[in-house]
Amino acid sequence: MSEFLRKKLSTEKSAKSKEDAIEAALKELETSREDVEIEVIDEGSKGFLGLGARDARVKVTLKNAAEKNEKAAVKESKPSVKEKSTRAKNAVKKESLGAPEEDAKKFLGDIFSAMNLDVSIDAKMEDETISIDLSGENMGIVIGKRGDTLDSLQYLTSLVVNQRSDDYIKVSIDTENYREKRTEALLALSARLADKVAKTGKKFTLEPMNPYERRIIHSTLQDSETVTTYSVGSEPYRKVVIAPKNAKPYKKGGYKKRNSKPREQSKPIAEKTGSYTTTYKADFKPQQHKAEYKNFEDYLAAHSENQDNE
């Protein structure tokens, strides 16, 4: 429908004054005063001392509305030259396109031919899903490390198929039953790592995986009572982390030892200086005490005499 047909042809507006009502109507119709016909339904009234006040009301109609409506409808029914060209191209395109599974087989065949690989391609279309099975020698090259090459082929084939389809079509590519074997391996791996994390209390980060494989790990351990899972990083290097539940936080400095014995302090050495005794501790800071010895030599001499008498 044209822009003109979507617009309103007339409207009625009320406001405190006639001019305000007209401006509101022009704004709604998205037009100017020269292109409309104005009919004043009620001039309004200010009343007396605020009593009996009444808003003004007007009806604004686009000029030659019926004629413009008819011309717009005729123009709408006639496609432009550009629209005719686009429709013709789409018709030719639909006629030249084959079935989606045939397009997928042709695309993969061209890739394997460029790689000098002899691969048999079996493609079936069921419920908006294309299941493709590949067979041949050296399929390890097609699978790639951790299935990276197989996943890339599946992604590219999906782009090609859905580029030529109005509805989304899911593409699944497998070879030598790799997908099932990989799923079983991930299930066993997640169970084994969950036991390890629960016993050691330390989290474990797995290798990067695609969203489908990460979902297998999460769904397998989502009901675990001992571990939890979450993902870190960005695609295509996003990883799954298996961590213990209710793990005790590490305290910096560790735990203090109990029943530790206090460190023994060295005995002080006393020296008499005049009427005070200087006590030397381990840190060699003297402390003055009242004493009868004038100096340290007198103290030693007095104790030596006592030992000789004994």
Side-chain angles (χ1 to χ4, degrees), residues 1-56:
M1 182 177 291
S2 67
E3 183 179 357
F4 178 80
L5 291 177
R6 286 194 296 267
K7 290 183 178 181
K8 294 179 64 175
L9 301 180
S10 66
T11 183
E12 293 184 8
K13 289 293 181 181
S14 299
K16 291 183 178 180
S17 66
K18 179 177 65 176
E19 291 299 323
D20 291 343
I22 294 174
E23 290 297 328
L26 294 176
K27 185 176 181 181
E28 181 178 332
L29 295 176
E30 299 179 355
T31 186
S32 60
R33 186 183 289 261
E34 293 78 11
D35 296 329
V36 297
E37 296 177 354
I38 301 173
E39 178 186 354
V40 179
I41 300 176
D42 190 344
E43 291 283 352
S45 174
K46 296 182 179 180
F48 179 72
L49 298 179
L51 299 176
R54 187 174 68 256
D55 288 345

Side-chain angles (χ1 to χ4, degrees), residues 57-197:
R57 186 171 185 83
V58 298
K59 181 179 180 180
V60 178
T61 305
L62 291 172
K63 291 181 179 179
N64 303 323
E67 182 181 353
K68 290 184 178 180
N69 190 13
E70 183 178 354
K71 291 181 179 180
V74 173
K75 184 179 179 180
E76 186 74 16
S77 62
K78 293 182 180 180
S80 63
V81 176
K82 185 177 180 180
E83 290 176 344
K84 289 181 180 180
S85 177
T86 303
R87 292 178 184 178
K89 289 181 180 179
N90 291 335
V92 173
K93 185 178 179 181
K94 288 184 178 180
E95 291 178 359
S96 61
L97 291 179
E101 60 270 26
E102 296 299 325
D103 293 337
K105 288 180 65 175
K106 184 180 183 306
F107 173 72
L108 291 173
D110 294 340
I111 291 181
F112 294 140
S113 178
M115 296 173 64
N116 295 323
L117 293 176
D118 186 12
V119 179
S120 298
I121 306 172
D122 182 21
K124 297 179 180 178
M125 178 79 171
E126 293 180 359
D127 299 331
E128 301 299 325
T129 300
I130 300 177
S131 299
I132 303 174
D133 185 69
L134 308 177
S135 59
E137 298 181 357
N138 301 324
M139 296 309 294
I141 300 177
V142 177
I143 295 174
K145 185 179 180 181
R146 297 191 301 267
D148 290 344
T149 306
L150 194 65
D151 291 338
S152 299
L153 289 173
Q154 180 173 287
Y155 174 72
L156 294 174
T157 306
S158 177
L159 290 180
V160 171
V161 170
N162 285 286
Q163 185 180 11
R164 305 179 180 184
S165 175
D166 295 334
D167 300 324
Y168 178 76
I169 299 176
K170 182 180 178 181
V171 177
S172 175
I173 302 180
D174 196 7
T175 179
E176 297 181 351
N177 207 21
Y178 170 79
R179 299 293 185 189
E180 184 177 350
K181 294 177 182 177
R182 178 65 173 168
T183 300
E184 293 176 354
L186 290 175
L187 292 175
L189 177 65
S190 60
R192 185 169 68 254
L193 292 179
D195 292 338
K196 180 178 179 180
V197 170

Side-chain angles (χ1 to χ4, degrees), residues 179-219:
R179 299 293 185 189
E180 184 177 350
K181 294 177 182 177
R182 178 65 173 168
T183 300
E184 293 176 354
L186 290 175
L187 292 175
L189 177 65
S190 60
R192 185 169 68 254
L193 292 179
D195 292 338
K196 180 178 179 180
V197 170
K199 290 178 181 179
T200 61
K202 297 180 180 179
K203 65 181 181 181
F204 188 91
T205 303
L206 284 79
E207 61 187 9
M209 298 179 181
N210 58 45
Y212 172 74
E213 293 182 345
R214 294 199 305 269
R215 198 176 302 116
I216 293 176
I217 302 294
H218 291 312
S219 60

